[in-house]
Amino acid sequence: MKFSEFKVGMVIRHDPIVVTEEEMLAFGKAYDPQWFHVNPEQAKEGRWDGLIASGWLTCSLAMRMAVNAALRNSESFASPGLERLRWILPVRAGDALRLEATVDSLRTSSTRSDLGILRWTWRVFNQKDEQVLEVEATSLFDLEAEPR
């Protein structure tokens, strides 16, 4: 999407993607090697009653869905960061996660007319319509660039 296509209040959706145990284990071993992310046998005895995905994997999947749904081929080039990140419920192998991203605000920078600023809230839900993640993000757009 182009920056000009975003409207305050619009909700951008991405169809569900299924989380596999293989990707949970691979991500956990590489980036978040806590026992409840990487050891299925030990995780069965833990607080979560089984293996759960790293919250960072859940964030990565949300990012992939946001790119696929809105940012691919846009003028987006960076993010200055997140205002809020909440892991609400654990994600497990077999969960089908979907994204609903609500546009909270849009503006052109007061100091740079070539810079568009989008603030949006990403909400990720599982197949039971339970919210598992919430992120308030800011995306920057180069308004003089050709979309990629």
Side-chain angles (χ1 to χ4, degrees), residues 4-118:
S4 62
E5 295 177 90
F6 290 94
K7 305 295 180 215
V8 173
M10 79 184 301
V11 178
I12 299 156
R13 293 178 170 82
H14 190 283
D15 289 337
I17 56 174
V18 177
V19 181
T20 68
E21 183 170 314
E22 293 75 23
E23 80 183 314
M24 287 171 49
L25 290 169
F27 188 96
K29 287 175 183 174
Y31 304 109
D32 191 355
Q34 297 179 80
W35 60 271
F36 44 89
H37 298 321
V38 299
N39 187 326
E41 291 306 313
Q42 190 178 2
K44 286 179 188 173
E45 305 303 320
R47 177 177 300 259
W48 303 112
D49 194 30
L51 196 68
I52 62 171
S54 167
W56 298 112
L57 171 61
T58 307
C59 288
S60 297
L61 294 171
M63 184 76 230
R64 183 171 85 195
M65 289 187 280
V67 169
N68 288 345
L71 297 177
R72 187 179 314 280
N73 299 321
S74 74
E75 310 100 332
S76 176
F77 70 92
S79 172
L82 308 173
E83 291 299 316
R84 194 168 90 126
L85 167 62
R86 292 181 55 228
W87 292 299
I88 300 165
L89 289 174
V91 171
R92 300 179 185 277
D95 280 354
L97 304 181
R98 65 181 171 80
L99 173 73
E100 291 185 7
T102 304
V103 176
D104 299 320
S105 68
L106 291 161
R107 67 182 179 90
T108 302
S109 169
S110 59
T111 58
R112 293 190 49 196
S113 62
D114 66 332
L115 181 63
I117 303 168
L118 163 67

Side-chain angles (χ1 to χ4, degrees), residues 124-139:
V124 175
F125 298 88
N126 64 21
Q127 68 281 358
K128 299 175 188 173
D129 287 326
E130 299 168 324
Q131 188 173 347
V132 300
L133 175 73
E134 184 166 299
V135 177
E136 292 177 14
T138 301
S139 296

